[in-house]
Amino acid sequence: MLGFRILPRTRSVSLELAARYIKLPVANVSDCMARMTAGGPALRPLHDGSKMAGPAITVKSRPGDNLMLHKAIEMAVPGDVLVVDAGGDCTNALMGELMISYAMRRGIAGVVINGAVRDYRFIKWNNFPVYAAGVTHRGPYKDGPGEINVPISIGGMVVEPGDLILGDDDGLICVPFHEAESVLEAALQVHAKEQKIMSAIEAGTHNGDWIGDALSRAGYVSAS
């Protein structure tokens, strides 16, 4: 029944592919996806800044209720990222030290909560990736409804089970399963180009000649 579904994940990006992504900045990947997708500025890293990459297990939760999140932790395999759409409501925390410790023990790669968490001191001093919309001491309910491994949307970013989730200090991005290989190759090229620019900046040889060309194409006229 709609609202009470627990589904299997039928496809998933490999952990090997996720390991290649984790070496890249989220910004490089975003640029290769036409800058058209993001997890939203409200979802911020609350941990020590460690990067995150892995296949998504999706959870659609009633705001303030974490019953399906508990079930998803039991279903997850090492390397998975739990992505929870709780409507962005921060009235009640869906996860805290106990659940995070259990997720860590099970080898989960990180959690994304479009809602609130608690036990912030524990989170910020650990390297386990936790992205959330807010922090509150108020605990959750455990009644449902909710769904696991269904398509969800967070800040306009659609996430399907098995898609690649990548996170760093700039935020989150979801790379669709069928696009993961091609986006990776494009992002590697962008990253290599930016590294060359940085080397030129450090060497004092970088110039901004392209700026004049861009202004000319846009129709700007230099004052004499």
Side-chain angles (χ1 to χ4, degrees):
M1 178 173 34
L2 190 66
F4 295 87
R5 295 178 296 175
I6 300 176
L7 305 177
R9 189 171 59 185
T10 59
R11 85 286 197 274
S12 176
V13 296
S14 69
L15 296 185
E16 291 77 16
L17 187 64
R20 295 183 68 193
Y21 263 98
I22 207 167
K23 301 175 183 178
L24 292 169
V26 167
N28 288 165
V29 178
S30 178
D31 287 349
C32 293
M33 295 176 67
R35 305 181 178 100
M36 291 291 290
T37 183
L43 288 177
R44 304 308 308 156
L46 302 182
H47 56 292
D48 75 348
S50 299
K51 297 180 70 175
M52 174 184 73
I57 283 188
T58 62
V59 180
K60 190 170 183 63
S61 173
R62 179 172 68 91
D65 192 291
N66 73 355
L67 177 60
M68 288 299 100
L69 179 51
H70 278 280
K71 178 61 177 177
I73 293 174
E74 297 290 340
M75 293 173 60
V77 298
D80 282 346
V81 175
L82 301 180
V83 187
V84 184
D85 177 17
D89 182 83
C90 292
T91 306
N92 299 81
L94 296 192
M95 200 174 200
E97 180 177 358
L98 294 178
M99 290 179 69
I100 291 170
S101 296
Y102 187 45
M104 294 168 65
R105 181 74 174 179
R106 290 187 59 82
I108 292 171
V111 296
V112 178
I113 310 286
N114 189 21
V117 294
R118 65 180 180 180
D119 300 324
Y120 175 54
R121 181 178 177 84
F122 171 82
I123 294 170
K124 72 179 179 180
W125 291 109
N126 275 279
N127 60 9
F128 181 76
V130 176
Y131 292 79
V135 176
T136 180
H137 54 79
R138 296 178 64 176
Y141 301 99
K142 296 174 171 59
D143 306 306
E147 300 184 315
I148 296 175
N149 285 329
V150 297
I152 60 175
S153 177
I154 296 177
M157 181 178 73
V158 176
V159 182
E160 297 195 47
D163 286 350
L164 181 96
I165 303 297
L166 181 66
D168 64 14
D169 286 336
D170 283 341
L172 298 156
I173 196 164
C174 173
V175 183
F177 173 81
H178 294 294
E179 307 293 336
E181 292 280 359
S182 60
V183 170
L184 174 64
E185 296 308 315
L188 286 169
Q189 293 179 30
V190 170
H191 188 52
K193 180 180 177 181
E194 289 196 352
Q195 287 182 312
K196 288 182 179 180
I197 294 173
M198 181 58 71
S199 295
I201 291 172
E202 292 173 346
T205 59
H206 179 66
N207 65 66
D209 291 347
W210 67 271
I211 300 173
D213 295 337
L215 291 173
S216 297
R217 289 195 302 270
Y220 284 89
V221 178
S222 298
S224 57

